[in-house]
């Protein structure tokens, strides 16, 4: 099974309950306030925020691409500060949920629209369905907690860079390597358990679509296994499905900086959330450190002259 297929299957299966858990709402709240605290860092042009509405000029168009959108966390975070959002996800059920939520919120297709797709299939680098103008020239591309599902992160970043206008920004959230700590019975962090505790693969092979199966060898220190409580998500079948969708469970700050640079981004910055976030995966309860990264597509000579 290809990595793309594994992601489609896993996220199609979990889309219904994906973000209805209390801990998930709490994580989303933390991520929302962190990103909204510094909109300029995240590439939202200042002119679009309420702090600069002293002139009568109509608000400039600000277009967001929410890639691997899931149910639309990034769209909900940045929605109030952009004029339109377009989303792509490999899981049809996630896209259905994304669009349903937008319609429920009273937002029409011109404002918020999600489509099933994959821009990282190397055998189809320019899918026909994403050739029209509405899929190019974004001001911001946001990818929430999905880079650890991508086979080739530098290629993925490069594909997203191509979808940005010159000067546009890619902003991502993901997990920090070594940033986990187990949660005890009371939900509190277990001192001394700092390390890597998220599910990950052990030399599984993925076919990236190029015909070459990759062997991912990751050597991590293993801590104590977390206690399993949530039976529904702790079944071997669920774990297998979840693990098959994941390439690496986390990144180092330097690793993220490197793949942004490799993809040709400038003004790259990587930071972590000060407080860990409580999560549950496949029955395991833990606190994880969330990281954020951003990079700007360089403004090449001769482009965007009118704005300078
Ligand atoms: C952990 S979820 C994150 C969803 C959302 N961005 C959020 O922050 O809540 C990862 C998402 O990535 C999607 N995905 C995985 N691989 C993909 C690919 N190659 N192209 C597009 N979407 C992909 C999955 O279907 C899933 O919805």
């Amino acid at each position: 099974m290809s990595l793309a297929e594994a992601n489609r299957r896993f996220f199609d299966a979990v889309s219904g309950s994906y973000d209805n858990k209390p801990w998930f709402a709490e994580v989303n709240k933390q991520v929302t306030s962190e990103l909204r605290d510094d909109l300029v860092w995240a590439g939202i042009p200042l002119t679009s925020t309420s702090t600069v509405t002293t002139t009568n000029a109509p608000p400039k168009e600000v277009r967001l691409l929410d890639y691997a959108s899931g149910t639309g966390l990034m769209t909900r975070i940045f929605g109030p500060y952009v004029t339109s959002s377009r989303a792509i996800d490999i899981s049809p059920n996630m896209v259905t949920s994304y669009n349903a939520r937008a319609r429920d919120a009273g937002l029409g297709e011109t404002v918020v629209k999600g489509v099933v797709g994959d821009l990282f299939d190397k055998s189809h680098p320019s899918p026909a369905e994403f050739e029209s103008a509405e899929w190019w020239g974004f001001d911001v591309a946001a990818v929430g907690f999905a880079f650890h599902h991508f086979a080739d992160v530098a290629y993925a970043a490069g594909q997203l860079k191509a979808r940005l206008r010159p000067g546009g920004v890619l902003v991502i959230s993901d997990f920090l390597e070594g940033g986990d700590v187990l949660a005890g019975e009371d939900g509190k962090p277990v001192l001394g358990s700092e390390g890597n505790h998220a599910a990950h693969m052990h030399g599984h092979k993925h076919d990236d679509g190029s015909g070459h199966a990759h062997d991912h060898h990751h050597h991590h220190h293993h801590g104590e296994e977390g206690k399993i409580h949530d039976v529904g998500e702790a079944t071997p079948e669920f774990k297998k499905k979840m693990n098959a969708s994941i390439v690496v469970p986390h990144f180092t700050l330097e690793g993220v900086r490197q793949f942004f640079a490799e993809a040709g981004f400038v003004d790259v910055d990587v930071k972590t959330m000060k407080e860990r976030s409580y999560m549950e995966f496949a029955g395991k309860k833990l606190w994880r450190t969330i990281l954020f990264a951003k990079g700007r597509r360089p403004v090449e000579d001769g482009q965007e002259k009118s704005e300078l």
Side-chain angles (χ1 to χ4, degrees):
M1 181 174 30
S2 72
L3 177 63
E5 184 57 24
N7 269 277
R8 196 175 300 117
R9 284 198 196 186
F10 177 66
F11 286 104
D12 266 352
V14 302
S15 68
S17 61
Y18 181 64
D19 51 12
N20 64 6
K21 305 163 188 108
W23 66 262
F24 202 96
E26 198 51 43
V27 173
N28 284 357
K29 232 196 297 180
Q30 284 179 295
V31 173
T32 301
S33 74
E34 181 80 18
L35 287 175
R36 283 186 179 168
D37 266 1
D38 197 346
L39 289 167
V40 174
W41 185 90
I44 304 288
L46 250 189
T47 48
S48 70
T49 67
S50 55
T51 51
V52 194
T53 47
T54 47
T55 67
N56 291 325
K60 190 176 162 266
E61 247 205 353
V62 181
R63 297 169 56 241
L64 171 73
L65 172 63
D66 185 347
Y67 191 84
S69 60
T71 65
L73 172 63
M74 290 295 156
T75 298
R76 288 188 288 278
I77 291 174
F78 294 122
Y81 314 101
V82 302
T83 49
S84 69
S85 303
R86 290 292 173 268
I88 299 175
D89 198 288
I90 206 168
S91 152
N93 290 353
M94 284 293 197
V95 172
T96 299
S97 166
Y98 177 95
N99 285 322
R101 280 171 183 236
R103 293 327 148 239
D104 285 350
L107 301 167
E109 276 221 331
T110 48
V111 182
V112 176
K113 179 168 99 185
V115 165
V116 176
D118 183 0
L119 295 176
F120 309 150
D121 178 350
K122 290 180 181 174
S123 59
H124 297 101
S126 309
E129 63 270 34
F130 300 115
E131 279 310 299
S132 64
E134 70 174 319
W135 297 103
W136 296 97
F138 291 97
D139 297 280
V140 180
V143 182
F145 304 103
F147 262 79
H148 60 273
H149 295 284
F150 303 155
D152 184 338
V153 288
Y155 179 76
Q159 285 289 85
L160 293 169
K161 193 187 82 176
R163 299 280 163 172
L164 292 168
R165 68 165 166 81
V169 167
L170 169 65
V171 54
I172 75 166
S173 62
D174 220 290
F175 301 112
L176 178 70
E177 174 161 356
D180 304 333
V181 58
L182 291 172
E185 285 295 335
D186 57 0
K188 296 212 176 89
V190 175
L191 287 177
S193 69
E194 290 82 357
N196 294 316
H197 295 292
H200 61 286
M201 309 181 34
H202 302 269
H204 288 206
K205 283 190 200 297
H206 276 306
D207 187 333
D208 67 358
S210 66
H212 303 288
H214 289 292
D215 215 346
H216 296 284
H217 287 292
H218 299 290
H219 300 284
H220 299 295
H221 295 291
H222 294 267
E224 288 263 310
E225 281 296 307
K227 288 227 173 85
I228 289 167
H229 302 267
D230 188 347
V231 178
E233 293 198 351
T235 61
E237 293 74 33
F238 181 92
K239 274 194 188 171
K240 213 174 141 200
K241 241 181 176 177
M242 182 178 81
N243 284 350
S245 78
I246 295 169
V247 178
V248 290
H250 42 231
F251 298 100
T252 64
L253 299 183
E254 193 43 40
V256 175
R257 226 172 263 124
Q258 267 175 22
F259 74 70
F260 267 73
E262 204 180 307
F265 283 97
V266 295
D267 300 336
V268 176
D269 192 30
V270 190
K271 62 185 185 182
T272 58
M273 206 120 86
K274 280 166 229 76
E275 309 273 327
R276 286 193 180 89
S277 307
Y278 177 79
M279 300 176 198
E280 297 173 11
F281 289 107
K284 185 183 260 192
K285 306 188 177 202
L286 70 169
W287 295 78
R288 306 199 74 188
T289 306
I290 292 174
L291 67 78
F292 298 96
K294 64 108 183 188
R296 188 175 294 279
R297 175 176 172 171
V299 180
E300 282 113 4
D301 270 358
Q303 292 186 273
E304 278 205 324
K305 276 247 168 73
S306 59
E307 271 192 25
L308 297 175

